[in-house]
Amino acid sequence: MSTSPESAEPARIREAVAADWPAVWPFLHEIVAAGETYTYPRDLGEETARAMWMLSAPSRTVVAVDPGTGVVLGTAKMNPNHMGGASHIASASFMVDPAHAGRGVGRALGEYVLAWARAEGYRAMQFNAVVESNTRAVALWKSLGFEIVATLPEGFLHPTLGYVGLHIMYQRL
Amino acid sequence: MSTSPESAEPARIREAVAADWPAVWPFLHEIVAAGETYTYPRDLGEETARAMWMLSAPSRTVVAVDPGTGVVLGTAKMNPNHMGGASHIASASFMVDPAHAGRGVGRALGEYVLAWARAEGYRAMQFNAVVESNTRAVALWKSLGFEIVATLPEGFLHPTLGYVGLHIMYQRL
C-alpha cells in the first residue's frame, strides 16, 4: 500500500500499539459520550475504555492512519463473537474520528476486518448491536455484504430520538 | 412457597451463595463439557467457570433447590445483555442438572428470571445463543413468551450433528 500523501488509499491500516492510545482516546471518547451509535456506557472512563478497546491475541486492534502524515483517522477491534461451539463467528467494532468522516476510513477498516476474519478461518461475522438510526453505518455494512438478520424493537435509547431499533447484522464468510 | 416435599412446586429458588458452588460445578461441568447446548469452551476450567457463573450485583445468580431436601437441581444467572443505550435489555443463562431434568426446574428458573427482569425495570430479555438442536430449550423459551428473532445459519458446531443454527431469542417485557 502506498504511503504517498497523493495516494487514492484513504488510510493505511496497521496494528495498534500502546503509543496510539493518546490519539485514539479523544475521538473514541467523543463518540462514546455522544451515545448515539455505541452500546457503551456514556460515562466510560479512559482506563476501562483502553482495556475494552486495545485487545491482544487472538483478538486484534488496528488503527487507520493517514498515509502521508501518519495521523490516526480511525480504529477497529476484531475478536471472536462467541466461544466454544460458536467460536467460528467473529465480531468487530469501529471508531472513526468524526473530523475525518466521509473519506472512506470506515470502509477501509471494514474490508480489513473481513479479510482478517477470512484469513483466521472464521466462518461468519456478526455485529451484535448496530443502532438503526446510524444509517450511514448500516448502509456501509450492507455494502460490505452484511444483512440485518434481526432488529430488536426499541432496543436502543437514543439521546434525542428516543427508542430506536437495534440491528443484529451478519454475514457468512 | 411451600417447602413440603409433597409440594407441586418443582423447586424453590433462592440466591446462590459461595457454598453452593461445589453442588453446581459437577452438573455445570457435565453440560459444558458435553458441548451440545452452550457456547462455552468445552474445556472450561473450574475457576473460570465460577467467575463466569457466580455473578454479583447488579447481576444475579440463583439456584433451584428441591423444596424438601435442599438438593441443588439447577441454577440461573441474569444480567444486562448490553450496556449504555441498550442496557434496558437483560439476558439470562440456565443450567439444570441432567439428573433432575423433566420436572419443571428450567421452567421455574425461566419464570423467575423474567419476573426479576420486569421488577428491575428491564424492557426486554434477549438470549444470544440458543442452539437450534436443543429443541427442548427452544420450546420452553417459546412457551415463556420468547420469539426466535434470528437464526445464524451454521452458527454452532455440534459435536455429533455438525453445524446447526444458533437462535437469537427475544421478548419484550
Side-chain angles (χ1 to χ4, degrees):
Chain A
M1 194 178 289
S2 168
T3 55
S4 157
E6 292 78 29
S7 167
E9 288 293 338
R12 186 168 63 86
I13 295 173
R14 63 164 172 78
E15 212 70 24
V17 295
D20 290 317
W21 179 252
V24 167
W25 170 242
F27 68 84
L28 188 146
H29 179 242
E30 176 183 347
I31 292 165
V32 171
E36 297 179 349
T37 54
Y38 257 84
T39 58
Y40 288 170
R42 286 160 181 145
D43 60 353
L44 187 68
E46 182 171 357
E47 285 314 306
T48 307
R50 188 205 304 256
M52 288 171 61
W53 197 264
M54 302 293 273
L55 304 181
S56 49
S59 299
R60 279 184 68 197
T61 302
V62 295
V63 288
V65 302
D66 184 287
T69 64
V71 166
V72 175
L73 309 170
T75 176
K77 67 180 175 76
M78 54 211 95
N79 49 274
N81 200 320
H82 300 274
M83 305 180 291
S87 58
H88 56 284
I89 305 174
S91 195
S93 305
F94 305 85
M95 300 273 180
V96 174
D97 186 343
H100 300 290
R103 60 183 266 188
V105 176
R107 176 176 299 276
L109 287 166
E111 291 170 347
Y112 188 94
V113 304
L114 287 166
W116 165 84
R118 286 192 183 94
E120 293 291 317
Y122 287 97
R123 295 169 58 95
M125 184 169 280
Q126 177 187 0
F127 295 159
N128 299 314
V130 181
V131 178
E132 184 176 41
S133 53
N134 189 5
T135 52
R136 195 155 69 175
V138 173
L140 174 58
W141 306 143
K142 282 184 175 174
S143 79
L144 290 177
F146 288 88
E147 283 180 75
I148 297 169
V149 292
T151 302
L152 309 181
E154 302 189 353
F156 186 81
L157 181 55
H158 188 284
T160 58
L161 302 174
Y163 286 103
V164 297
L166 196 60
H167 296 316
I168 297 164
M169 301 188 74
Y170 191 79
Q171 80 167 284
R172 296 170 85 150
L173 300 176
Chain B
M1 194 178 288
S2 168
T3 56
S4 157
E6 293 79 27
S7 167
E9 288 293 339
R12 185 167 63 85
I13 295 172
R14 62 163 172 78
E15 211 72 23
V17 295
D20 290 317
W21 178 253
V24 167
W25 170 242
F27 68 84
L28 188 147
H29 180 243
E30 178 183 345
I31 293 165
V32 171
E36 297 180 349
T37 54
Y38 258 84
T39 56
Y40 288 171
R42 285 158 183 149
D43 60 354
L44 187 68
E46 182 171 357
E47 285 314 306
T48 307
R50 189 206 302 258
M52 288 172 60
W53 197 265
M54 302 294 274
L55 305 181
S56 50
S59 299
R60 279 183 68 197
T61 302
V62 296
V63 288
V65 302
D66 184 287
T69 65
V71 167
V72 175
L73 309 170
T75 176
K77 67 180 175 76
M78 55 210 94
N79 49 274
N81 200 321
H82 299 274
M83 304 179 292
S87 59
H88 56 284
I89 305 175
S91 194
S93 305
F94 305 85
M95 300 274 181
V96 174
D97 186 343
H100 299 290
R103 61 183 266 185
V105 176
R107 175 175 298 276
L109 287 166
E111 291 170 346
Y112 188 95
V113 304
L114 286 167
W116 166 82
R118 287 191 182 96
E120 292 291 318
Y122 287 97
R123 295 169 58 97
M125 184 169 280
Q126 177 187 1
F127 295 160
N128 300 313
V130 181
V131 178
E132 185 176 39
S133 54
N134 189 6
T135 52
R136 195 156 68 175
V138 174
L140 174 58
W141 305 143
K142 282 184 175 176
S143 79
L144 290 177
F146 287 87
E147 283 181 74
I148 297 169
V149 293
T151 303
L152 308 181
E154 301 190 353
F156 187 81
L157 182 55
H158 188 282
T160 58
L161 302 175
Y163 285 102
V164 296
L166 196 59
H167 296 316
I168 297 164
M169 302 188 75
Y170 191 78
Q171 79 167 286
R172 296 169 85 151
L173 301 176

